[in-house]
Amino acid sequence: MISSSGTISTIAGTGSFYAGMGGLAVAAGMDYPNSLFCDVAGNLSLTDFFADCSYEINHTTGIIMNSCGHNSQGNDGDGECGPIARMQLPKGIWKDAAGTLYIADYGSNRLRRVDGTTTIVSTMTGSSVHGFSPDGTAAGDCLWGSITGVCADQYGNVYVSDASNHVVRRIDPTNHVTTVVGTGVNGYSGDGGPALSAKLMNPGALFINSAGFMFICDPTANVIRVVNVFYPGSIIKTLAGNGTMGFAGDGGLASMAKLNQPSGVWQDATTGTIYIADLGNQRIRAIARSGYKGEETGVKVTALGEIGVYPNPSRGTFTVSGVSDPTGTSLEIYNLAGQMVYSQALSQSTSLISVKQPAGIYSLVLRSAAGTVNHKLVIE
């Protein structure tokens, strides 16, 4: 742990191999801890790649316990309590607000789920059969190339990195799978264009913030990509790294820096600072003032004007304001499945819109010759 004052201390592990579960974390041994998740209470969840298990470290007591797996390689245990199950080479973990764990069980090519209340383990998706299934496939039937990262948003969507298929996919609350980033072709391209037209190499660790910005580690390309997955058609950018392996760029723009196989990424919800585990350089890098915290003001300054949507959240009736030149401007609204549920041409800079749709999160898109603006829309 690195404190806010810059002091480093060991909070788990002795430097020896797997031992001591059920005791103090500082007295326990681990084999190869490789991914972390810290909840709002300060409790730490982590995976151990070579011990084939995941741990929970209680912030108050300092006790470490197995949450899934027990240092025995396998892919069984569904329907049992977490510590009874077995995994193979886990390398990604996420905990939702209910305490449920999602674990990228890389060696088993599965996404495992540990219920936050019962601690019962289940396979959410994946099997020993490798492949790629079309969008709309039920999660239980979906084939994957290699599951390497996982995160979840506050609306019940779970996002999974499929490294060998070079995509990031989403499992929605109905348990169906769609691709949100990547064409499926190996490469590093697409910045400034739609995420579904971009190429990834081998996406790994994921992080998503409450505004929908997803940060994607692509260790083979030596970059971190970013895209807002709440907005269908959102553009993808490179957040950090210039695509060349190395170590350089401290004090300069993150997109001009050199990284070496970045393996983890996390954003501080208060400051917006982004932290990167720069594996090949054996360093932790930080990006201050990244600008990817969301829309606290509800206004976006764009080529179309200072676009505001209010009230937001609403009951479905809201105002869109600030369109400097509405000529040729269209307004479209999409649900999280990417389906257009409303559209109209605008004729004035301020418009009152009324939409009859179920409560949820939507994407409001303004299109004109001056460009495209995406805005999150919440209907209560």
Side-chain angles (χ1 to χ4, degrees), residues 214-248:
M214 177 184 288
F215 308 106
I216 306 166
C217 286
D218 196 334
T220 307
N222 302 296
V223 295
I224 307 290
R225 312 288 289 275
V226 59
V227 61
N228 195 314
V229 293
F230 286 176
Y231 299 126
S234 281
I235 64 172
I236 189 170
K237 297 179 181 179
T238 295
L239 171 70
N242 64 10
T244 302
M245 180 184 290
F247 174 68

Side-chain angles (χ1 to χ4, degrees), residues 122-374:
S122 59
T123 295
M124 192 169 182
T125 189
S127 69
S128 57
V129 179
H130 295 252
F132 183 82
S133 299
D135 284 358
T137 301
D141 299 325
C142 189
L143 300 181
W144 301 80
S146 54
I147 293 176
T148 54
V150 61
C151 66
D153 66 26
Q154 65 267 42
Y155 303 105
N157 298 289
V158 179
Y159 302 86
V160 183
S161 285
D162 188 344
S164 60
N165 283 321
H166 316 294
V167 294
V168 177
R169 311 196 79 183
R170 175 175 60 210
I171 303 172
D172 65 28
T174 70
N175 277 322
H176 288 83
V177 178
T178 55
T179 303
V180 293
V181 185
T183 63
V185 177
N186 183 29
Y188 169 49
S189 66
D191 280 358
L196 287 173
S197 299
K199 292 180 181 179
L200 303 175
M201 283 193 172
N202 296 102
L206 302 173
F207 181 90
I208 189 169
N209 68 19
S210 60
F213 289 109
M214 177 184 288
F215 308 106
I216 306 166
C217 286
D218 196 334
T220 307
N222 302 296
V223 295
I224 307 290
R225 312 288 289 275
V226 59
V227 61
N228 195 314
V229 293
F230 286 176
Y231 299 126
S234 281
I235 64 172
I236 189 170
K237 297 179 181 179
T238 295
L239 171 70
N242 64 10
T244 302
M245 180 184 290
F247 174 68
D250 280 2
L253 291 174
S255 59
M256 299 300 292
K258 291 183 180 180
L259 303 176
N260 189 340
Q261 304 169 70
S263 62
V265 61
W266 188 278
Q267 184 178 42
D268 184 304
T270 302
T271 66
T273 298
I274 295 170
Y275 299 94
I276 300 168
D278 193 356
L279 176 67
N281 286 318
Q282 302 189 61
R283 287 171 165 88
I284 304 297
R285 316 286 291 274
I287 306 171
R289 300 180 298 278
S290 68
Y292 290 104
K293 289 180 62 179
E295 301 162 13
E296 290 87 349
T297 64
V299 175
K300 284 187 172 181
V301 181
T302 71
L304 281 172
E306 293 188 359
I307 307 300
V309 178
Y310 55 91
N312 190 11
S314 73
R315 295 281 184 176
T317 300
F318 54 90
T319 297
V320 177
S321 67
V323 182
S324 56
D325 183 5
T327 304
T329 300
S330 65
L331 181 150
E332 302 166 357
I333 296 175
Y334 296 81
N335 61 22
L336 279 179
Q339 301 166 323
M340 185 190 297
V341 297
Y342 182 88
S343 68
Q344 78 168 63
L346 298 185
S347 59
Q348 50 195 11
S349 61
T350 300
S351 302
L352 182 65
I353 309 296
S354 185
V355 180
K356 293 183 179 180
Q357 287 294 321
I361 187 167
Y362 296 82
S363 175
L364 185 151
V365 182
L366 295 173
R367 303 185 191 275
S368 79
T372 300
V373 177
N374 294 302

Side-chain angles (χ1 to χ4, degrees), residues 1-3 7-12:
M1 177 176 67
I2 304 169
S3 72
T7 301
I8 190 167
S9 59
T10 298
I11 60 171

